[in-house]
């Protein structure tokens, strides 16, 4: 079963615009992680935010976490064609695994 | 340093056959996990190994099994293949626990069962 659910399922934006996607989850977590997947290849780890953190930045990425609402958001600023990919949130608890959401497919148009 | 290596990249098998997939983690990573990815079910956790011990297992039938060797390399085996086993199988390694450090994924093995 999937812990995280992303919204929207798909997103199409113009190059240079910002892209925002959200993730909701159901149970308490240690941390929440975001991954990117290009065209059915392996996933790439983007950022990890711990349950006691509210916001984290990495380059053009900004992640927020609201544990009271059990939700997280990923913002990609000044998008590029290379950002076209599927983005997954994954929640981590104390059970040696990550539970992934269904993903948001982002298409950046030139 | 080398990434996570999965072999083979592509595989076509017939229903009823068995298959073994291999994964070599990043050097120094002792945790290896396996996931099945399909369009309908998304990423489903299969199992996680650390120092040759399985620490967690997902909800898959007993036809799915795995193991880890003393050098941290891992294999997963699927016996009596079914059409529904067609999927991208992803291996991921982590320093200790994926809960703490996150994963580095391999490129996957695309299994097609005909």
């Amino acid at each position: 079963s999937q812990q995280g659910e992303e919204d929207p399922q798909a997103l199409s934006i113009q190059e240079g615009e910002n892209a925002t996607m959200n993730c909701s989850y159901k149970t308490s977590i240690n941390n929440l992680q975001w991954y990117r997947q290009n065209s059915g290849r392996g996933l790439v780890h983007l950022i990890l935010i711990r349950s006691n953190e509210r916001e984290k930045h990495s380059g053009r990425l900004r992640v927020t976490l609201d544990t009271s609402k059990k939700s997280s958001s990923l913002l990609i600023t000044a998008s590029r064609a290379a950002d076209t990919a599927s983005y997954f949130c994954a929640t981590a608890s104390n059970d040696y695994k990550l539970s992934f959401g269904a993903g948001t497919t982002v298409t950046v148009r030139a | 340093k080398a990434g996570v290596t999965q072999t083979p990249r592509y595989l076509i098998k017939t229903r009823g056959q068995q298959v073994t997939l291999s994964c070599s983690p990043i050097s120094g990573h002792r945790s290896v996990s396996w996931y099945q990815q399909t369009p309908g079910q998304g990423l489903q956790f299969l199992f996680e190994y650390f120092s040759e011990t399985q620490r967690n297992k997902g909800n898959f039938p007993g036809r799915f099994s795995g193991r880890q060797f003393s050098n941290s390399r891992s294999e997963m085996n699927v016996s009596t293949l079914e059409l529904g086993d067609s999927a991208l199988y992803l291996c991921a390694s982590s320093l200790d626990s994926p809960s703490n450090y996150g994963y580095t994924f391999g490129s996957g093995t695309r299994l097609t069962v005909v």
Side-chain angles (χ1 to χ4, degrees), chain B residues 10-53:
Chain B
Y10 301 94
L11 208 47
I12 300 176
K13 289 286 189 178
T14 304
R15 270 182 302 175
Q17 287 187 313
Q18 74 164 15
V19 67
T20 299
L21 311 182
S22 180
C23 173
S24 293
I26 286 178
S27 178
H29 283 195
R30 295 166 67 189
S31 168
V32 175
S33 301
W34 289 88
Y35 283 81
Q36 180 196 66
Q37 185 177 29
T38 59
Q41 298 297 315
L43 282 146
Q44 299 289 316
F45 173 76
L46 281 156
F47 21 68
E48 189 263 2
Y49 290 90
F50 180 86
S51 293
E52 302 179 70
T53 299

Side-chain angles (χ1 to χ4, degrees), chain B residues 21-107:
Chain B
L21 311 182
S22 180
C23 173
S24 293
I26 286 178
S27 178
H29 283 195
R30 295 166 67 189
S31 168
V32 175
S33 301
W34 289 88
Y35 283 81
Q36 180 196 66
Q37 185 177 29
T38 59
Q41 298 297 315
L43 282 146
Q44 299 289 316
F45 173 76
L46 281 156
F47 21 68
E48 189 263 2
Y49 290 90
F50 180 86
S51 293
E52 302 179 70
T53 299
Q54 185 183 88
R55 295 194 294 190
N56 200 351
K57 185 178 189 302
N59 290 330
F60 278 82
R63 302 185 295 107
F64 291 80
S65 63
R67 58 178 175 168
Q68 186 182 35
F69 302 95
S70 58
N71 62 358
S72 293
R73 193 176 70 83
S74 176
E75 288 181 349
M76 67 163 282
N77 184 276
V78 187
S79 62
T80 318
L81 284 165
E82 301 176 359
L83 294 179
D85 297 334
S86 294
L88 180 66
Y89 289 87
L90 293 163
C91 168
S93 73
S94 183
L95 193 63
D96 180 352
S97 169
S99 303
N100 294 330
Y101 297 100
Y103 288 128
T104 301
F105 278 87
S107 295

